[in-house]
Amino acid sequence: MSLPSAPVSSFASDNAAGVHPLVLESIVASNQGSALAYGADRYTDEAVRHFRELCARDLECLFVFGGTGGNVLALASLLETGEAVLATDTSHIHVDEAGAPERLTGTKIITVPHSDGKLTVKDIEACVADRAQMHHPRVGVVSITQVTEMGTVYDPDEVARLAEVCRRRGLRLHMDGARIANAVVALGGDESLFRELTKHVDAVTFGATKNGGMFGEAVIVFSDHGKANLGYIRKQLAQLPSKMRFVSAQFNAMLADGLWLQTAAHANTMARGLYERLTDIQSLQLSPPQANSLFPTIDHASAATLRDWSFFWDWNDALNQYRWMTSWATTPEDVDVFAKAVRSVVSSS
Amino acid sequence: MSLPSAPVSSFASDNAAGVHPLVLESIVASNQGSALAYGADRYTDEAVRHFRELCARDLECLFVFGGTGGNVLALASLLETGEAVLATDTSHIHVDEAGAPERLTGTKIITVPHSDGKLTVKDIEACVADRAQMHHPRVGVVSITQVTEMGTVYDPDEVARLAEVCRRRGLRLHMDGARIANAVVALGGDESLFRELTKHVDAVTFGATKNGGMFGEAVIVFSDHGKANLGYIRKQLAQLPSKMRFVSAQFNAMLADGLWLQTAAHANTMARGLYERLTDIQSLQLSPPQANSLFPTIDHASAATLRDWSFFWDWNDALNQYRWMTSWATTPEDVDVFAKAVRSVVSSS
Amino acid sequence: MSLPSAPVSSFASDNAAGVHPLVLESIVASNQGSALAYGADRYTDEAVRHFRELCARDLECLFVFGGTGGNVLALASLLETGEAVLATDTSHIHVDEAGAPERLTGTKIITVPHSDGKLTVKDIEACVADRAQMHHPRVGVVSITQVTEMGTVYDPDEVARLAEVCRRRGLRLHMDGARIANAVVALGGDESLFRELTKHVDAVTFGATKNGGMFGEAVIVFSDHGKANLGYIRKQLAQLPSKMRFVSAQFNAMLADGLWLQTAAHANTMARGLYERLTDIQSLQLSPPQANSLFPTIDHASAATLRDWSFFWDWNDALNQYRWMTSWATTPEDVDVFAKAVRSVVSSS
Amino acid sequence: MSLPSAPVSSFASDNAAGVHPLVLESIVASNQGSALAYGADRYTDEAVRHFRELCARDLECLFVFGGTGGNVLALASLLETGEAVLATDTSHIHVDEAGAPERLTGTKIITVPHSDGKLTVKDIEACVADRAQMHHPRVGVVSITQVTEMGTVYDPDEVARLAEVCRRRGLRLHMDGARIANAVVALGGDESLFRELTKHVDAVTFGATKNGGMFGEAVIVFSDHGKANLGYIRKQLAQLPSKMRFVSAQFNAMLADGLWLQTAAHANTMARGLYERLTDIQSLQLSPPQANSLFPTIDHASAATLRDWSFFWDWNDALNQYRWMTSWATTPEDVDVFAKAVRSVVSSS
């Protein structure tokens, strides 16, 4: 079987895409003269202002280098000494950060089996029941991912219910929003839905790199819940960019006219398109995507053929499950090429 | 007294400068299509190849987000469980990293008073003598900065002597090379001098951001001394850029045709120029710069006036000592403007 | 229903028992004149000699304050920077140490569902398969508990098979032997069986407190696998007793004439006796004990009545499972009293 | 020169002494039947009650295994995430705990040169001035030692002044009271002076082992300043004794009838006696002791001869300074023997 040329855009992950032209333009435009380091510049003032407008809520907004660092800073800001974090067994902080939260904050991550990628109110209640014991790890922060690692999306009601039990139990709620833009779009929403989605949350890691950025994420900590000295803790976690303007310039491009939602909408649409082109193939198990990822079940041989052709990650080896992901840069042509190759490989297997 | 407009380039630090045009061009050029994340891309292959050629020695080369993260990774790669780090009391890892090495690696930094910014063989011997005691912090790694925090430069012989005592005493030697390019140039050297300077060192943090980059530094660990799983430790320290190509593209621009030494040479020349324009002022205590920084002693009132006009950092409050720093972006006009302002403020005080 | 007086010895845990008279006598006898602190005394020399004879193998033997500290020291001695620990989901280090290993060593504990309290070769192989990934926590040490938290015992062949796969995969094997004496006795063995049981293991936490001691455990690290500077790491973990002779004196009493196996044998016999007195009760689910603990399944109401009368711990709330434990101090009378109360409460429920 | 037999009691340290007979008696007496572990026993209730009476102030009182662990727990209870500790360059936490505070809490210890063993108000003010900077380690807790490592004693006014500046600057004050009993006695005081001395302090590590105990110290945290979940943090730091009654029994003996002050008074008297027997020796530089330690300056050869005969520690190699220490167990005969040997060795040198 001969396959066509691989698609220009990889389906491996949204971080295989480059930088969106408008974001890059903003970076280039900010490269004018001197700007004091560490955020004492006008680009950063502007980016923080954008976040204050977006959230319409008292907050601290800190830009960091990357997603793992952002999650660790958010957790560090919410944890009291000795407290553990509750998350699902598929959570990025548990599975994909090489133990960074444990090493950098000393916390323990308590996991529960995910329910379609999500954590439930019942999981929190069960974990809290264990807190009285001096010997058992003691949860202080609940962390959820939006979009989840299984491609699902918490709606505002679900988040509100989790937040309610957290508040009642003296816990704080963290949202790892590495793909929060894709979630907002998936829920059919705009900036007001973002506010709805985060209004009961104590800290959000707001993803940018996967959504058309070059590097840098934002950590938003809502007041009264985070530590007083977050800027200092960021530095201590080695997450303070010196030439900060180049991070801020990205957020300015993304947030100014809703670009962040447009790029996410495009990625979601491409995933939906790929799904629709493949849904009739009997031997391919595939649920409709909520955001920008698909989790097909394919036989090993077909998967291997396809991955050699255009790389993507396996997701659950035992279940023959893989992940395909679209991005702001994926084109309808990429989807066509990819869908055809899948069809030809899977059908012939 | 009325001062002219502030200079276009700040003398606050070399990280107030923007990105060198050729570096930015390389970033922009690498924004083509997809590239697998985390360094599995051709830009990164090329950047590593550049470092292998530059060092001409067996090594591991890891790109990280920033300087503090780079230092922490280098130390983590060299430290055995429980060991302490020896450094001067002005060292960046001790004074300017908010306790990151302690928090992120659990180490303790043992300090000795600096000798003109430097650590000496005698300091190491004295510290080692204390290792036999079970109760005392036990040094495992010696860390020196090049250019030092006082603007001085270790020459190859000095480094060799420090390395020799380290080897004899079972210690490893780390060089924080945030401004290593400025040091090489200050020593009148080229790439072969860089090799001379680092050939007995176990790990180098190789600075890029201060020398015309946007973000990202390199950690070079020479074989047999570092831990086997450095790539993994980098991830755990939250220092693994996902869209790695944009870090690598910077190094490709810098290392391809010696740009890194040209930018540093320019910065050093500008510092020398500033010194020469001011050396006749009696009331200004100022040593000639070895690299790209000057440490003037000025009365508080004059310093305050000047800082209001164009910001720079104080260095030693007790001694009325400040720091002026030039960069790849400083122009002769900036130097002129700055020198004139200094002259007019200091002379009238 | 009226219950008799509670038994003199609690069935809550073997650490509710006091100190064995011979151990206390040894402590008292060592309280003569001065002895240099931190282990530079003849009682400690003697205790180390006992362990060298017992193990007949090159080793380092370090006395520490307690069990959690002992486990953390053992893990710290075996872990390389950044490595994770593999253990069962019932393991003491995961469930009952409040997150101490994570906090004190920065490691992550990767868990798998236990198989009757145990870890299997297959669990290790599956975990190792995951090591290639830079993002996933990376196992370096496997930790098993002997007697397990479910009261089961690994036999020498099982340990050898686990050790073999560890060696083959570049892992180290830690045995949390908080109740290793009970395990040796359960396997029908003596000191030579202890040697058999530990000969492929890299480090053992050797329990004493639960087996008739007052405080203090031993960490035995077999050569070539542990860090060079264990004595120093112990101090750094705050596990170095100053008046060490009083820990050593306990081990001298326990190891001199096999007392450690006699006390454990007694505890095991008492557990067996309790089991036999209760095995005919239909409504009581109870497996025969391998060592000194029973894990009955009882209805909540009966359990509550019994616990009010004489406290014991619940073990698995969802399964109505509890734990009864005997010790060196449990008497046949205690067993009688306890068995009668259980019978009367459970039968009437 | 021939020396007599070495004294029965070592002058190396007060932790070379054994256990006071009344303390040992209390331990033995508590070895009756079962007692639930981890402090749920009547001996511990009683010991906590003693501390509540002694302090007459709202407090949490936690017993731990040892002094380093006690200091780490106290610091962990007072530190916010990322904060540093200020202490003198001779402080036990900096010099003699092998880096335990850094490793176990992630903090950094900022040091200042001691003033006769002490920290001053000026030291605190200077350190606080540095807090505004995001890059510099940021002090949160000030730690002083009582008796200091140079044998001096803070009086209640000195402590009050330090506490006042701490309160004003938003810092918390920790007292490492490893020898607090000797300090109280040195100040001519009783339990009310202890209250005076600690009433502005946020946490005290209350030493017992050096003052006639076997093992175990108390950490007293005064309300509103410590973390809510101290009992849990103690467990996480591996400082929770399981058979707690044997620690508590020691405190019960010590605190019941003022034994802790009698033993300390004896030790102080013995140090004074040694001083008086030696004060006329011209070649011996020796200040009068405030508590139970002397810091003689002797030539190296004499010191070596004496140490071979009866071991003691060197204190400052560069100054030829050593330390002699008395304890509850030192007898007038020991002092005689030691003084004579010193006289004969030093005079003949």
Side-chain angles (χ1 to χ4, degrees):
Chain A
M1 174 178 41
S2 92
L3 290 171
S5 292
V8 172
S9 289
S10 168
F11 287 76
S13 178
D14 35 14
N15 60 24
V19 183
H20 189 279
L22 292 175
V23 174
L24 188 57
E25 195 176 282
S26 180
I27 288 176
V28 171
S30 72
N31 193 31
Q32 298 297 327
S34 285
L36 288 182
Y38 308 117
D41 66 83
R42 63 187 178 82
Y43 307 95
T44 303
D45 289 347
E46 184 184 335
V48 171
R49 206 159 50 235
H50 279 304
F51 272 106
R52 291 199 188 284
E53 279 165 24
L54 172 61
C55 295
R57 203 180 150 197
D58 206 10
L59 59 79
E60 279 204 71
C61 170
L62 296 106
F63 304 117
V64 296
F65 279 122
T68 294
N71 282 338
V72 170
L73 176 60
L75 295 176
S77 87
L78 299 179
L79 284 164
E80 292 298 319
T81 287
E83 289 183 337
V85 175
L86 177 67
T88 73
D89 58 353
T90 61
S91 62
H92 196 269
I93 58 169
H94 178 62
V95 174
D96 279 303
E97 300 188 351
E102 288 89 344
R103 175 169 186 149
L104 305 188
T105 75
T107 196
K108 184 181 182 83
I109 301 178
I110 303 171
T111 61
V112 288
H114 70 93
S115 305
D116 207 16
K118 297 181 189 174
L119 195 80
T120 68
V121 164
K122 212 176 126 188
D123 295 329
I124 301 175
E125 291 283 15
C127 185
V128 165
D130 207 35
R131 286 193 70 180
Q133 249 275 32
M134 189 189 293
H135 307 280
H136 293 185
R138 191 172 287 186
V139 64
V141 172
V142 172
S143 180
I144 60 176
T145 314
Q146 181 75 308
V147 177
T148 76
E149 292 79 5
M150 299 308 298
T152 54
V153 176
Y154 292 92
D155 68 34
D157 280 356
E158 286 175 301
V159 176
R161 281 196 298 274
L162 294 171
E164 193 278 325
V165 64
C166 285
R167 206 164 32 245
R168 193 154 37 80
R169 296 304 194 173
L171 310 178
R172 286 120 275 150
L173 182 59
H174 166 243
M175 181 180 281
D176 173 358
R179 295 187 179 94
I180 195 160
N182 303 88
V184 169
V185 167
L187 293 165
D190 55 6
E191 295 184 352
S192 75
L193 187 127
F194 171 82
R195 277 189 284 280
E196 196 65 26
L197 205 52
T198 59
K199 83 172 173 194
H200 303 298
V201 167
D202 296 307
V204 178
T205 314
F206 187 101
T209 308
K210 294 175 199 291
N211 193 22
M214 182 184 288
F215 72 106
E217 315 276 294
V219 175
I220 309 172
V221 182
F222 297 107
S223 54
D224 293 347
H225 297 279
K227 298 286 175 284
N229 43 358
L230 282 182
Y232 173 72
I233 300 173
R234 171 178 57 181
K235 169 75 190 185
Q236 200 177 51
L237 291 169
Q239 287 295 321
L240 174 64
S242 60
K243 295 187 176 175
M244 182 70 90
R245 58 172 141 169
F246 299 109
V247 177
S248 303
Q250 297 178 58
F251 280 106
N252 291 335
M254 288 179 178
L255 294 179
D257 300 300
L259 177 64
W260 69 295
L261 294 173
Q262 297 159 29
T263 45
H266 177 84
N268 287 11
T269 301
M270 292 299 105
R272 165 61 62 170
L274 180 59
Y275 170 74
E276 284 166 358
R277 271 170 192 73
L278 298 172
T279 188
D280 65 308
I281 307 181
Q282 293 272 335
S283 59
L284 187 72
Q285 255 182 276
L286 193 61
S287 300
Q290 292 186 38
N292 64 325
S293 51
L294 293 164
F295 296 85
T297 302
I298 330 175
D299 65 285
H300 268 291
S302 299
T305 303
L306 281 165
R307 292 171 78 183
D308 282 351
W309 171 71
S310 182
F311 182 78
F312 52 86
W313 294 96
D314 49 352
W315 214 240
N316 189 324
D317 216 41
L319 301 177
N320 279 9
Q321 195 173 41
Y322 298 85
R323 189 190 71 177
W324 296 330
M325 191 159 249
T326 54
S327 78
W328 72 267
T330 310
T331 63
E333 292 69 41
D334 294 326
V335 170
D336 262 353
V337 170
F338 196 78
K340 277 180 189 151
V342 170
R343 179 175 300 275
S344 84
V345 171
V346 170
S347 305
S348 73
S349 73
Chain B
M1 173 178 42
S2 94
L3 291 170
S5 293
V8 174
S9 290
S10 168
F11 287 77
S13 177
D14 36 14
N15 60 24
V19 182
H20 190 279
L22 293 175
V23 174
L24 188 57
E25 194 176 283
S26 180
I27 287 176
V28 172
S30 72
N31 193 31
Q32 297 297 327
S34 285
L36 288 182
Y38 307 118
D41 67 82
R42 64 187 177 84
Y43 307 96
T44 304
D45 290 347
E46 184 185 334
V48 171
R49 207 160 47 237
H50 279 304
F51 273 106
R52 292 199 188 284
E53 279 164 25
L54 172 60
C55 295
R57 201 179 150 197
D58 207 11
L59 59 79
E60 278 204 71
C61 169
L62 297 106
F63 304 116
V64 296
F65 279 123
T68 294
N71 282 338
V72 170
L73 176 59
L75 295 177
S77 87
L78 298 180
L79 284 164
E80 293 298 318
T81 289
E83 289 181 338
V85 175
L86 177 66
T88 73
D89 58 353
T90 60
S91 63
H92 196 268
I93 58 169
H94 178 62
V95 173
D96 278 303
E97 300 188 351
E102 288 88 346
R103 176 170 185 147
L104 306 188
T105 75
T107 196
K108 183 180 184 83
I109 301 178
I110 303 171
T111 60
V112 288
H114 70 92
S115 306
D116 206 16
K118 298 182 188 174
L119 196 79
T120 67
V121 164
K122 209 176 128 190
D123 296 329
I124 300 175
E125 291 284 15
C127 186
V128 165
D130 206 34
R131 286 193 70 180
Q133 248 274 31
M134 190 188 293
H135 307 279
H136 294 184
R138 192 173 287 187
V139 63
V141 173
V142 172
S143 181
I144 59 176
T145 312
Q146 181 76 307
V147 179
T148 75
E149 293 78 7
M150 298 310 297
T152 53
V153 176
Y154 292 93
D155 67 35
D157 279 356
E158 285 175 302
V159 176
R161 280 196 297 275
L162 294 171
E164 192 278 326
V165 65
C166 285
R167 204 164 34 246
R168 192 154 37 81
R169 295 302 194 175
L171 309 178
R172 285 120 274 150
L173 182 60
H174 165 243
M175 181 181 281
D176 173 357
R179 294 188 180 94
I180 195 159
N182 303 89
V184 170
V185 168
L187 293 164
D190 56 6
E191 296 184 351
S192 74
L193 187 128
F194 171 82
R195 277 189 285 282
E196 196 65 25
L197 205 52
T198 59
K199 83 174 173 194
H200 303 298
V201 167
D202 295 307
V204 177
T205 313
F206 187 102
T209 308
K210 294 176 198 291
N211 192 22
M214 182 184 287
F215 73 106
E217 315 275 295
V219 175
I220 309 172
V221 182
F222 297 107
S223 54
D224 293 348
H225 297 280
K227 298 284 176 286
N229 44 357
L230 282 182
Y232 173 73
I233 299 172
R234 171 178 58 181
K235 170 74 189 185
Q236 200 177 51
L237 291 170
Q239 286 295 323
L240 175 64
S242 60
K243 296 186 176 176
M244 183 71 90
R245 59 171 139 168
F246 299 109
V247 177
S248 304
Q250 297 177 59
F251 280 106
N252 292 335
M254 288 178 179
L255 294 179
D257 299 300
L259 177 62
W260 68 295
L261 293 173
Q262 298 159 29
T263 45
H266 177 84
N268 288 10
T269 301
M270 291 299 105
R272 164 64 59 170
L274 180 57
Y275 170 73
E276 285 166 357
R277 272 172 192 72
L278 298 171
T279 188
D280 65 308
I281 307 182
Q282 294 272 337
S283 60
L284 188 71
Q285 256 183 277
L286 192 61
S287 302
Q290 293 187 35
N292 64 325
S293 49
L294 292 163
F295 297 84
T297 301
I298 331 176
D299 65 285
H300 268 292
S302 298
T305 303
L306 281 165
R307 292 172 77 182
D308 282 350
W309 171 71
S310 183
F311 182 78
F312 51 86
W313 294 96
D314 49 353
W315 214 241
N316 189 322
D317 218 41
L319 302 177
N320 278 10
Q321 193 173 42
Y322 298 86
R323 190 190 70 178
W324 297 330
M325 190 160 251
T326 56
S327 77
W328 71 268
T330 309
T331 62
E333 292 69 39
D334 294 325
V335 171
D336 263 353
V337 170
F338 197 77
K340 277 177 189 152
V342 170
R343 178 176 301 274
S344 83
V345 171
V346 170
S347 306
S348 73
S349 73
Chain C
M1 173 180 39
S2 94
L3 290 171
S5 292
V8 172
S9 290
S10 168
F11 287 77
S13 177
D14 36 13
N15 61 24
V19 182
H20 190 279
L22 293 174
V23 174
L24 188 57
E25 195 176 282
S26 180
I27 287 175
V28 172
S30 72
N31 193 32
Q32 297 296 328
S34 285
L36 288 182
Y38 307 117
D41 66 82
R42 64 187 177 83
Y43 307 96
T44 303
D45 290 346
E46 184 185 334
V48 171
R49 206 159 50 235
H50 279 304
F51 272 106
R52 293 200 187 283
E53 279 164 24
L54 173 60
C55 295
R57 203 180 150 196
D58 207 11
L59 60 79
E60 279 204 71
C61 169
L62 297 106
F63 304 115
V64 296
F65 278 123
T68 293
N71 283 337
V72 170
L73 176 59
L75 295 176
S77 86
L78 299 180
L79 284 164
E80 293 298 320
T81 288
E83 289 182 338
V85 175
L86 177 67
T88 73
D89 58 353
T90 61
S91 63
H92 196 268
I93 58 169
H94 178 62
V95 174
D96 279 303
E97 299 188 350
E102 287 89 344
R103 175 170 185 147
L104 305 187
T105 75
T107 196
K108 184 180 182 82
I109 300 178
I110 303 170
T111 60
V112 288
H114 70 93
S115 306
D116 207 16
K118 297 181 189 173
L119 195 79
T120 67
V121 164
K122 212 176 126 189
D123 295 329
I124 300 175
E125 292 283 16
C127 186
V128 164
D130 208 33
R131 286 192 72 181
Q133 249 274 31
M134 190 188 292
H135 307 279
H136 293 184
R138 190 172 286 186
V139 64
V141 172
V142 172
S143 180
I144 59 176
T145 314
Q146 181 76 307
V147 176
T148 76
E149 292 78 5
M150 299 308 297
T152 54
V153 176
Y154 292 92
D155 67 34
D157 280 356
E158 286 175 301
V159 176
R161 280 196 297 274
L162 294 171
E164 193 278 325
V165 64
C166 284
R167 206 164 32 244
R168 193 154 36 79
R169 295 304 194 174
L171 310 178
R172 288 120 274 150
L173 182 58
H174 166 242
M175 181 180 281
D176 174 358
R179 294 188 180 93
I180 195 161
N182 304 88
V184 170
V185 167
L187 294 164
D190 55 5
E191 296 183 352
S192 75
L193 187 127
F194 172 82
R195 277 188 285 280
E196 196 66 25
L197 205 52
T198 59
K199 83 173 173 194
H200 303 297
V201 167
D202 295 307
V204 178
T205 314
F206 187 101
T209 309
K210 294 175 198 292
N211 193 22
M214 182 184 287
F215 72 106
E217 316 276 294
V219 175
I220 310 172
V221 181
F222 297 107
S223 52
D224 293 346
H225 298 279
K227 298 284 176 284
N229 44 357
L230 282 181
Y232 173 71
I233 300 173
R234 171 177 58 182
K235 170 74 189 186
Q236 199 177 52
L237 292 170
Q239 287 295 323
L240 174 64
S242 59
K243 295 186 176 175
M244 182 70 90
R245 59 172 140 170
F246 300 109
V247 176
S248 303
Q250 297 178 57
F251 280 106
N252 292 335
M254 287 178 178
L255 294 179
D257 300 300
L259 177 63
W260 69 295
L261 293 172
Q262 297 159 29
T263 46
H266 177 83
N268 287 11
T269 301
M270 291 298 105
R272 165 62 61 169
L274 179 58
Y275 170 72
E276 284 168 358
R277 271 170 191 75
L278 297 171
T279 188
D280 64 307
I281 307 181
Q282 294 272 336
S283 59
L284 187 72
Q285 256 182 277
L286 194 60
S287 300
Q290 292 186 37
N292 65 325
S293 51
L294 292 164
F295 297 86
T297 302
I298 331 175
D299 65 286
H300 268 292
S302 299
T305 303
L306 281 165
R307 292 171 79 182
D308 282 351
W309 172 71
S310 182
F311 182 78
F312 51 87
W313 295 96
D314 48 353
W315 214 241
N316 188 324
D317 217 41
L319 301 177
N320 279 10
Q321 194 173 41
Y322 299 85
R323 188 189 71 176
W324 296 332
M325 191 160 250
T326 55
S327 77
W328 72 268
T330 310
T331 63
E333 292 70 42
D334 293 325
V335 170
D336 262 353
V337 171
F338 197 77
K340 277 180 189 151
V342 170
R343 178 174 301 274
S344 84
V345 171
V346 171
S347 305
S348 74
S349 75
Chain D
M1 172 178 45
S2 94
L3 291 171
S5 294
V8 173
S9 290
S10 168
F11 287 77
S13 177
D14 36 13
N15 61 24
V19 183
H20 189 278
L22 292 176
V23 174
L24 188 57
E25 194 176 282
S26 181
I27 288 175
V28 171
S30 73
N31 193 31
Q32 297 296 327
S34 286
L36 289 181
Y38 307 117
D41 67 81
R42 63 187 177 83
Y43 307 96
T44 303
D45 290 347
E46 185 185 334
V48 171
R49 207 160 48 237
H50 280 304
F51 273 106
R52 293 200 187 283
E53 279 164 23
L54 172 60
C55 296
R57 203 179 150 198
D58 207 10
L59 60 80
E60 279 204 72
C61 169
L62 297 106
F63 304 116
V64 296
F65 278 123
T68 295
N71 282 338
V72 170
L73 176 59
L75 295 176
S77 86
L78 299 180
L79 284 164
E80 293 299 319
T81 288
E83 289 181 338
V85 175
L86 176 67
T88 72
D89 58 353
T90 60
S91 64
H92 197 268
I93 59 169
H94 178 63
V95 173
D96 279 303
E97 299 189 350
E102 287 89 345
R103 176 171 185 146
L104 305 187
T105 75
T107 196
K108 183 180 183 82
I109 301 178
I110 303 171
T111 60
V112 287
H114 70 92
S115 306
D116 207 15
K118 297 182 189 175
L119 196 80
T120 68
V121 163
K122 212 177 126 187
D123 295 328
I124 301 175
E125 291 285 15
C127 186
V128 165
D130 207 34
R131 286 194 70 181
Q133 248 275 29
M134 191 189 291
H135 307 279
H136 294 183
R138 192 172 287 186
V139 64
V141 172
V142 172
S143 181
I144 59 176
T145 313
Q146 182 75 309
V147 178
T148 75
E149 293 78 6
M150 299 309 297
T152 54
V153 176
Y154 292 92
D155 67 35
D157 280 357
E158 285 175 302
V159 176
R161 281 196 297 273
L162 294 170
E164 193 277 327
V165 65
C166 285
R167 203 165 34 246
R168 192 154 37 79
R169 295 302 195 174
L171 310 177
R172 287 120 273 151
L173 182 59
H174 165 243
M175 182 180 280
D176 173 358
R179 294 189 179 94
I180 195 160
N182 304 89
V184 170
V185 168
L187 294 164
D190 55 6
E191 296 184 352
S192 75
L193 186 128
F194 171 82
R195 277 189 284 281
E196 196 65 25
L197 205 53
T198 59
K199 83 174 173 193
H200 303 298
V201 167
D202 296 307
V204 178
T205 313
F206 187 102
T209 309
K210 294 176 197 292
N211 193 22
M214 182 184 286
F215 71 107
E217 315 275 295
V219 175
I220 308 172
V221 182
F222 298 107
S223 53
D224 294 347
H225 298 279
K227 299 283 176 288
N229 44 358
L230 282 182
Y232 172 72
I233 299 172
R234 171 177 58 182
K235 170 74 189 184
Q236 199 177 52
L237 292 170
Q239 287 295 323
L240 175 63
S242 60
K243 295 185 176 177
M244 183 70 89
R245 59 171 140 169
F246 300 109
V247 177
S248 304
Q250 297 177 59
F251 280 106
N252 292 335
M254 287 177 179
L255 295 179
D257 299 301
L259 177 63
W260 68 295
L261 293 173
Q262 297 159 30
T263 46
H266 177 82
N268 288 11
T269 301
M270 291 299 104
R272 164 63 60 170
L274 180 58
Y275 170 73
E276 285 166 358
R277 272 171 191 73
L278 297 172
T279 187
D280 64 307
I281 307 182
Q282 294 270 338
S283 59
L284 188 71
Q285 254 182 278
L286 193 61
S287 301
Q290 293 186 36
N292 64 326
S293 50
L294 292 164
F295 297 85
T297 301
I298 331 176
D299 65 285
H300 269 291
S302 299
T305 303
L306 281 166
R307 292 171 77 181
D308 282 350
W309 171 71
S310 182
F311 182 78
F312 52 86
W313 294 96
D314 49 353
W315 215 241
N316 189 323
D317 217 41
L319 302 177
N320 278 10
Q321 194 174 43
Y322 298 86
R323 189 189 71 177
W324 297 330
M325 190 160 250
T326 55
S327 77
W328 72 267
T330 309
T331 62
E333 292 70 40
D334 294 325
V335 170
D336 263 353
V337 169
F338 196 78
K340 277 178 189 152
V342 170
R343 179 176 301 274
S344 84
V345 171
V346 170
S347 305
S348 73
S349 74

